[in-house]
Amino acid sequence: MIYENVSLKKYNTFGLNVKADRLVTFRHEENAIHFFEQNKGSNQKLKVLGGGSNILFTGDYHGTLIHPEMEGITLEGKTGNDVIVSAGAGVIWDKLVESTVNKGIGGLENLSLIPGLVGAVPVQNIGAYGAEASKTIEKVRAVNVTDGTLREFTPEECRFGYRDSIFKGELKGRYLITRVYFRLSTKPKLSLEYGSLKYELSKMGSTSLGNVRKTVINSRTAKLPDPQLIGNAGSFFKNPVVSPSVAEEIRLKNPRVPLFNDPSGGIKLAAGWLIEQCGWKGKRIGDAGVHDKQALVIVNYGNATGLELFELSEKVRISVAEKFGINLEREVEII
């Protein structure tokens, strides 16, 4: 479907009533291939828009937005305990997590209730509670928006990093992801070491996949605002990774700073804690604010503009840099 001069309010979780010159939606991979083949060589400005849960529009979008609506969750095959499950790019991410957990298939349970669509998962390499999507992704199908050619990416070709991938770097804007394949397990090794996850889970009596999912959902809903009730895009900034020497310098001045070992060999700091120490938690400027339960989340209380939300994020970022010498990197994409 092709829509002209369309409101994007339902396509972004900040609830901003901005417009796009054109919005094109695809329910089938073949339709996307045909569209891009037909538009080969054109100079139109194209951008892929998923569920809008990791994006901030600072104004109207003058160009064409591409929105995937490919559905379907499929059990592709099973070898021993390993199970390959695929999902269309338009599937709501948590519906996939719920489906696999209900079938006794593990690997995605720690990523419960993360907003957005499946197509955005490899782009962002979403993660939470000690788990990252990249650890489960088997391959990614995508269509080149410049000529309609179809390509399958291996995990190595995706170049996954912390909240990062080739789709955010070298190939940014060049591919529409249509389907993602996950290698999961009927006998998964549960990841329970993050924060108080194991303690909270112990209260439920067993470490079943269903209880892990319930515990993660309870934890997220307790500290993160529901985008249906208050506009937000979840974590606005990435947790910074610094050298051990920089981390030690910060710890000496702030003994209670939470520090986490990162696989890179560096030390990961909690961006929310840094922001809170700068006095931003619960602060509000007009209808733009910092959430009162999780300082990592910037919220729209109703009528804030995208520009006002961006300006608030700048104030937060600058204050953290001045106090700690740490430059926070936005997880949310600014348009």
Side-chain angles (χ1 to χ4, degrees):
M1 296 290 291
I2 299 176
Y3 306 90
E4 305 283 348
N5 193 33
V6 61
S7 170
L8 300 177
K9 187 168 185 176
K10 72 175 184 177
Y11 293 99
N12 75 98
T13 57
F14 271 115
L16 299 170
N17 192 24
V18 294
K19 292 184 176 182
D21 292 347
R22 194 183 193 202
L23 176 70
V24 183
T25 63
F26 300 115
R27 291 191 177 180
H28 303 284
E29 184 180 82
E30 296 78 9
N31 299 138
I33 291 173
H34 178 72
F35 177 84
F36 295 127
E37 284 179 340
Q38 292 297 107
N39 286 273
K40 184 177 180 180
S42 71
N43 293 320
Q44 63 179 311
K45 182 182 177 183
L46 294 174
K47 178 170 181 57
V48 176
L49 174 67
S53 60
N54 207 58
I55 198 166
L56 173 62
F57 288 99
T58 57
D60 292 340
Y61 185 81
H62 298 296
T64 299
L65 291 173
I66 305 298
H67 180 64
E69 294 184 346
M70 297 83 172
E71 291 289 339
I73 298 172
T74 304
L75 176 61
E76 300 287 348
K78 185 176 185 295
T79 304
N81 296 325
D82 285 358
V83 181
I84 304 298
V85 176
S86 74
V91 172
I92 295 173
W93 170 252
D94 196 54
K95 294 296 183 184
L96 172 62
V97 180
E98 180 182 45
S99 174
T100 56
V101 168
N102 287 346
K103 290 180 173 65
I105 301 172
L108 305 180
E109 57 281 350
N110 286 41
L111 306 179
S112 293
L113 211 64
I114 294 178
L117 305 181
V118 166
V121 169
V123 180
Q124 296 295 129
N125 185 19
I126 63 171
Y129 296 94
E132 283 191 337
S134 59
K135 304 301 182 184
T136 65
I137 291 176
E138 179 75 3
K139 67 177 179 179
V140 176
R141 282 175 69 90
V143 178
N144 191 314
V145 303
T146 61
D147 58 16
T149 55
L150 182 65
R151 177 176 171 182
E152 291 189 347
F153 291 83
T154 66
E156 293 75 22
E157 290 172 327
C158 290
R159 298 183 196 170
F160 291 122
Y162 172 57
R163 304 297 179 270
D164 197 19
S165 72
I166 195 171
F167 305 110
K168 288 183 73 175
E170 180 183 338
L171 298 184
K172 183 177 181 179
R174 290 176 55 186
Y175 280 89
L176 169 68
I177 292 172
T178 57
R179 197 164 195 85
V180 185
Y181 295 71
F182 302 87
R183 180 176 292 275
L184 306 174
S185 177
T186 54
K187 291 187 177 180
K189 181 179 179 181
L190 300 178
S191 176
L192 307 175
E193 303 306 317
Y194 189 90
S196 61
L197 187 58
K198 181 182 289 187
Y199 172 73
E200 294 298 327
L201 187 61
S202 68
K203 299 178 183 178
M204 306 191 76
S206 72
T207 54
S208 66
L209 287 175
N211 281 347
V212 173
R213 173 170 163 77
K214 287 178 184 177
T215 301
V216 169
I217 289 175
N218 290 342
S219 178
R220 290 186 67 89
T221 54
K223 65 182 181 180
L224 297 174
D226 184 347
Q228 298 295 323
L229 302 177
I230 183 169
N232 74 93
S235 300
F236 200 92
F237 298 98
K238 295 181 181 180
N239 290 320
V241 177
V242 300
S243 68
S245 61
V246 170
E248 177 62 14
E249 184 179 335
I250 293 176
R251 188 193 66 80
L252 290 173
K253 297 178 181 178
N254 307 271
R256 303 180 72 177
V257 59
L259 303 174
F260 307 93
N261 291 324
D262 188 74
S264 66
I267 303 296
K268 184 179 293 185
L269 305 176
W273 185 90
L274 297 174
I275 295 169
E276 184 174 348
Q277 299 310 301
C278 293
W280 284 103
K281 190 175 184 179
K283 283 288 186 69
R284 179 170 174 171
I285 301 176
D287 270 1
V290 177
H291 194 239
D292 59 358
K293 293 182 180 178
Q294 172 51 271
L296 195 54
V297 180
I298 288 178
V299 296
N300 178 7
Y301 284 105
N303 295 308
T305 66
L307 187 57
E308 287 170 342
L309 293 165
F310 171 76
E311 290 174 343
L312 173 60
S313 76
E314 273 290 273
K315 293 178 187 295
V316 170
R317 190 184 62 79
I318 291 171
S319 66
V320 170
E322 290 176 344
K323 184 175 179 65
F324 294 101
I326 301 294
N327 291 312
L328 294 181
E329 182 180 350
R330 293 183 185 85
E331 192 170 325
V332 171
E333 181 180 6
I334 309 299
I335 303 297

